[in-house]
Amino acid sequence: MDEEAPLLAETTDSKTPAKNHTRDVHILSSAFLLIFLAYSAAQNLESTINTEEDLGTISLGILYSSFTVFSLVASLVVRYLGSKNALVLGTTGYWLFIAANLKPTWYTMVPASLYLGFAASIIWVAEGTYITSTARSHAHDCNLHEGTVIGKFNGEFWGMFASTQLIGNLLSLALLSGGTGGSTSGTTLLFIVFLCSMTLGTVLMCFLQKRDGKGEESLPDSSVSFYSSIISLSKSVITPLCDLRMLLIIPLIAYSGLQQAFVWAEFTKDIVEPALGVSGVAGAMVVYGAFDAICSLTVGRLTSGLKSVTLIVSAGAFIQFIVFLWILLKYCLTSEGLGTVYLFLIAAALGIGDGVLNTQLSALLGMLFKHDTEGAFAQLKVWQSASIAVVFFMSPYISLLVMLVVMVAAVCIAVVGFLFLTLQVERAFSSHDADI
């Protein structure tokens, strides 16, 4: 019995960390669900409820421009605070933005948008870092394939995240029905409910385990801290751009931002609303969110390595390419627009493509950039947010047909760069195995 007791204790200790890893993924996914079901639905409504002087659209453009700039320093902030603390701090920007919508003016929305750009940059870099760190720990403790675990954890997270569009838009439909989309009483109640949801998400985020000790050590001498910070910042911004792998993946990252902004700014305004009205926008986004969530959960479980990522990304990009090309030809050849069924099929296809890109980009960066996870995910958000900001600012000045041509060209360039990347990585592994 004395010999069996240590063995039993060792077995129990080995199982506990594994349970904690999966528990943290559940908590993180649930917290993001509560926060972003509010933000995603509010973002979809900005151009509809804050129409005076294009306040809603301009606020989103300012937000994503701020997001782009602060993403350059986000990795440094996350390293200093630690991923958990950065996640909690990041939620405050979303809470403030929703609160500003209770009294939307230039004096409330612009500062809130600027601060949200900072908060969003650190919360998304911290999310990618935290998920990847958790997956690696889980794979190590359970003796599992690292790529498979990264894919599974990202699939769960992005599946939950994608359902924010489904739940948030259903909530908007329920609370705004019976009046116009811009009625004061309906929107006030909606944003109060959103604030409550975000508060719960922030509280839930506090129950995460810390994944590192960064930011908890005693601060070094101020001069040393200053110079080390400058060096760290330059490395986080410049070093990834000196890596051929990052240069080849940037077009795909930028495209992922373009296709999201296309759905938010063009698809809803120029395709869905003229055919189905304002209420149809929420319905189309419900379909989009549902298929985004289902796809994220499915392809996350199918991800096991670079080959699976290549096949999944190629399939998702091909689906979106066909959709963009079909809309382009349909609108050129007819003046009647698209039928209701076709609109929901397009929404479903766009949701599938978004689910593919979200899960696979996160998994790919986690696999390829193990030694600089924060820097890699900072680059992800820099190029994504910059692409989104460009679409929001240019949307009032370009036609739908021009935007569709841009999307077709962007997806082709992104896929070519990505396929070249996979060939380079496979060639590097082959030469490495040959040397061994």
Side-chain angles (χ1 to χ4, degrees):
M1 291 297 292
D2 292 337
E3 294 179 357
E4 293 177 356
L7 179 61
L8 181 61
E10 183 178 339
T11 304
T12 304
D13 291 340
S14 65
K15 290 181 178 179
T16 301
K19 292 180 180 178
N20 289 338
H21 300 323
T22 56
R23 163 189 168 273
D24 283 339
V25 176
H26 300 333
I27 290 175
L28 183 65
S29 302
S30 300
F32 267 72
L33 173 63
L34 290 169
I35 292 166
F36 281 90
L37 72 85
Y39 173 72
S40 298
Q43 179 177 250
N44 294 336
L45 294 171
E46 282 300 319
S47 61
T48 303
I49 62 176
N50 294 326
T51 56
E52 186 177 355
E53 298 182 351
D54 292 324
L55 176 60
T57 303
I58 293 175
S59 294
L60 291 176
I62 292 172
L63 189 163
Y64 283 101
S65 298
S66 173
F67 193 171
T68 303
V69 173
F70 281 113
S71 292
L72 296 173
V73 299
S75 60
L76 183 62
V77 176
V78 173
R79 286 193 188 103
Y80 181 79
L81 294 176
S83 53
K84 177 190 172 178
N85 293 335
L87 285 166
V88 175
L89 178 61
T91 62
T92 60
Y94 292 92
W95 197 97
L96 183 63
F97 183 79
I98 295 298
N101 273 275
L102 291 173
K103 192 173 179 59
T105 67
W106 291 101
Y107 300 104
T108 58
M109 294 296 294
V110 171
S113 297
L114 287 171
Y115 178 66
L116 178 52
F118 164 73
S121 69
I122 64 171
I123 199 174
W124 281 112
V125 172
E127 176 274 325
T129 303
Y130 194 91
I131 286 281
T132 304
S133 174
T134 305
R136 287 177 184 160
S137 298
H138 185 78
H140 178 268
D141 293 342
C142 299
N143 196 26
L144 299 173
H145 185 264
E146 187 176 288
T148 302
V149 178
I150 291 176
K152 180 181 177 182
F153 282 8
N154 274 290
E156 177 181 337
F157 173 83
W158 287 108
M160 291 279 280
F161 181 82
S163 63
T164 59
Q165 286 284 358
L166 173 64
I167 300 172
N169 284 291
L170 285 175
L171 192 58
S172 297
L173 275 175
L175 294 179
L176 295 179
S177 61
T180 61
S183 62
T184 303
S185 60
T187 55
T188 299
L189 176 60
L190 179 64
F191 283 108
I192 289 174
V193 172
F194 284 167
L195 283 177
C196 293
S197 178
M198 285 191 165
T199 302
L200 289 175
T202 302
V203 172
L204 189 59
M205 201 87 77
C206 295
F207 288 94
L208 290 171
Q209 292 185 97
K210 288 188 176 182
R211 287 286 157 185
D212 50 51
K214 296 172 184 176
E216 298 177 359
E217 301 173 358
S218 58
L219 294 176
D221 178 73
S222 58
S223 60
V224 176
S225 177
F226 174 78
Y227 289 116
S228 63
S229 297
I230 295 297
I231 294 172
S232 297
L233 177 58
S234 62
K235 286 182 177 180
S236 66
V237 175
I238 299 173
T239 303
L241 295 178
C242 298
D243 192 325
L244 179 62
R245 297 174 302 173
M246 180 60 73
L247 294 177
L248 291 174
I249 203 175
I250 281 175
L252 187 64
I253 293 174
Y255 170 72
S256 71
L258 286 176
Q259 58 91 28
Q260 287 179 346
F262 174 84
V263 172
W264 301 332
E266 300 292 336
F267 177 65
T268 54
K269 181 183 68 174
D270 294 331
I271 298 178
V272 179
E273 187 175 359
L276 304 179
V278 176
S279 61
V281 172
M285 294 306 290
V286 166
V287 174
Y288 172 85
F291 277 85
D292 198 335
I294 293 170
C295 178
S296 297
L297 289 170
T298 303
V299 300
R301 293 185 175 276
L302 296 176
T303 305
S304 58
L306 185 60
K307 289 185 178 179
S308 62
V309 171
T310 303
L311 291 174
I312 293 170
V313 169
S314 299
F318 179 74
I319 290 172
Q320 289 198 333
F321 172 80
I322 294 299
V323 168
F324 293 136
L325 192 62
W326 187 76
I327 298 174
L328 182 63
L329 296 176
K330 186 72 175 178
Y331 266 80
C332 287
L333 297 176
T334 71
S335 59
E336 299 177 356
L338 302 172
T340 303
V341 175
Y342 289 147
L343 286 175
F344 287 119
L345 287 176
I346 291 171
L350 292 173
I352 291 172
D354 187 60
V356 165
L357 290 172
N358 283 332
T359 55
Q360 301 309 296
L361 277 174
S362 295
L364 185 63
L365 291 176
M367 294 175 192
L368 295 182
F369 301 94
K370 297 180 180 180
H371 302 297
D372 187 16
T373 308
E374 296 95 338
F377 281 100
Q379 291 292 327
L380 170 65
K381 290 306 168 183
V382 165
W383 296 101
Q384 269 188 345
S385 55
S387 301
I388 294 171
V390 167
V391 173
F392 276 122
F393 280 127
M394 294 301 297
S395 179
Y397 307 106
I398 61 175
S399 66
L400 174 63
L401 294 181
V402 172
M403 189 65 200
L404 286 167
V405 172
V406 171
M407 297 305 297
V408 170
V411 68
C412 292
I413 294 172
V415 170
V416 169
F418 171 70
L419 292 178
F420 188 70
L421 166 68
T422 59
L423 290 175
Q424 291 293 318
V425 174
E426 288 181 357
R427 187 179 303 167
F429 274 115
S430 299
S431 61
H432 176 72
D433 292 341
D435 292 338
I436 295 176

